[in-house]
């Protein structure tokens, strides 16, 4: 049985796709980039600022300007266009009742992550929330996971596990010598999850306690 769990946020605990896709679209359109909602959804996970620079060739200044445009919408409306995945509240309650310590490591800005978690009512389940700054330059997913482990006072990493829906979540867990769960109900597809080689795969939130509690 695992005693400590680090969760990713977007696509793992909360379905934030509606507000996030709208926010990304506004940022991308401002930068002169136009795409389908489905393709934009696939961008959710890694920091958008870095995507704009590394994948679309924008300068740091133009990328931040585009992110500012998207963030204006997100803070006003998009942050509330989210919901927990089906049976996730029951999953968190079961883990809490069994004494499992839980935390969140997300590349999303800290302010919006907290707003979303409070909006859907899950913030009180977690020991700590490690997140990024507004332009998502504070650190990497691996670093956020490491800080979560330290905050939960994990002594033996065999007692801890990382859960996420995208490659950076799984690789971030591995960077910290953790077992991992790749979930298939989020934004990553089966191919991406399998290529990341997680320790376990969960089709649905109800599968998570079965893995953690043994």
């Amino acid at each position: 049985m695992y005693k400590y769990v680090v969760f990713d946020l977007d696509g793992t605990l909360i379905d934030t796709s509606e507000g996030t896709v709208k926010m990304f679209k506004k940022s991308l359109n401002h930068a002169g980039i136009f795409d389908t909602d489905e393709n934009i959804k696939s961008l959710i996970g890694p920091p958008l600022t870095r995507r704009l620079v590394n994948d679309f060739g924008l300068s740091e200044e133009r990328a931040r300007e585009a992110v500012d445009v998207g963030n204006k919408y997100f803070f006003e409306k998009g942050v509330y266009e989210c919901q927990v995945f089906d049976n996730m509240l029951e999953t968190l309650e079961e883990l809490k009742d069994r004494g499992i310590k839980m935390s969140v490591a997300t590349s999303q800005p800290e302010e919006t992550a907290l707003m979303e978690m409070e909006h859907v009512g899950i913030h009180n389940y977690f020991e700590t929330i490690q997140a990024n700054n507004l332009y998502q330059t504070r650190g990497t997913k691996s670093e956020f996971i490491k800080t979560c482990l330290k905050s939960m006072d994990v002594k033996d990493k065999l007692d801890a596990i990382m859960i996420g829906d995208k490659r950076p979540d799984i690789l971030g867990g591995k960077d910290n010598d953790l077992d991992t769960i790749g979930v298939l109900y989020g934004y990553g597809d089966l191919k991406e999850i399998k290529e990341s080689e997680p320790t376990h795969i969960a089709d649905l939130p109800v599968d998570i306690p079965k893995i953690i509690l043994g």
Side-chain angles (χ1 to χ4, degrees), residues 13-204:
L13 288 168
I14 306 176
D15 182 0
T16 59
S17 58
E18 181 181 353
T20 304
V21 166
K22 291 176 181 177
M23 181 265 285
F24 274 30
K25 180 180 286 189
K26 288 183 179 296
S27 294
L28 291 168
N29 289 356
H30 182 80
I33 302 163
F34 301 89
D35 210 336
T36 65
D37 286 2
E38 193 61 32
N39 285 340
I40 291 173
K41 185 177 179 179
S42 71
L43 299 177
I44 298 176
L48 178 58
T49 309
R50 306 280 26 103
R51 288 276 201 182
L52 290 171
V53 173
N54 298 329
D55 297 349
F56 296 101
L58 271 66
S59 67
E60 293 284 347
E61 182 179 359
R62 283 197 67 208
R64 291 194 175 205
E65 181 183 293
V67 167
D68 282 340
V69 171
N71 280 340
K72 183 177 186 299
Y73 171 83
F74 201 62
F75 274 100
E76 292 175 355
K77 188 174 181 180
V79 73
Y80 303 111
E81 296 174 319
C82 64
Q83 58 189 351
V84 289
F85 286 102
D86 289 345
N87 300 121
M88 182 54 71
L89 286 174
E90 293 86 347
T91 291
L92 295 175
E93 193 66 33
E94 182 175 358
L95 295 177
K96 180 182 178 181
D97 287 346
R98 293 291 295 271
I100 306 300
K101 289 188 175 182
M102 298 178 282
S103 63
V104 171
T106 176
S107 295
Q108 187 180 154
E110 181 176 359
E111 187 173 355
T112 54
L114 288 170
M115 290 172 70
E116 288 178 336
M117 293 175 71
E118 290 174 1
H119 176 65
V120 300
I122 65 170
H123 56 292
N124 289 327
Y125 286 100
F126 301 98
E127 302 278 324
T128 184
I129 300 164
Q130 299 300 322
N132 224 317
N133 56 21
L134 190 61
Y135 296 109
Q136 298 172 295
T137 59
R138 179 179 288 164
T140 65
K141 178 57 72 79
S142 296
E143 290 167 341
F144 298 145
I145 295 169
K146 182 178 181 179
T147 306
C148 283
L149 298 175
K150 184 176 180 180
S151 296
M152 292 191 295
D153 196 28
V154 175
K155 303 297 184 185
D156 187 344
K157 291 185 177 180
L158 292 176
D159 292 332
I161 193 165
M162 172 67 198
I163 305 177
D165 68 311
K166 300 281 282 186
R167 182 178 289 105
D169 305 319
I170 306 305
L171 298 185
K174 290 181 177 183
D175 287 345
N176 285 280
D177 302 315
L178 300 181
D179 282 355
T180 56
I181 300 175
V183 304
L184 299 182
Y185 56 83
Y187 308 141
D189 58 25
L190 179 60
K191 181 175 182 291
E192 177 177 355
I193 292 297
K194 281 192 170 182
E195 287 177 350
S196 303
E197 299 183 332
T199 314
H200 310 275
I201 292 178
D203 291 310
L204 299 167

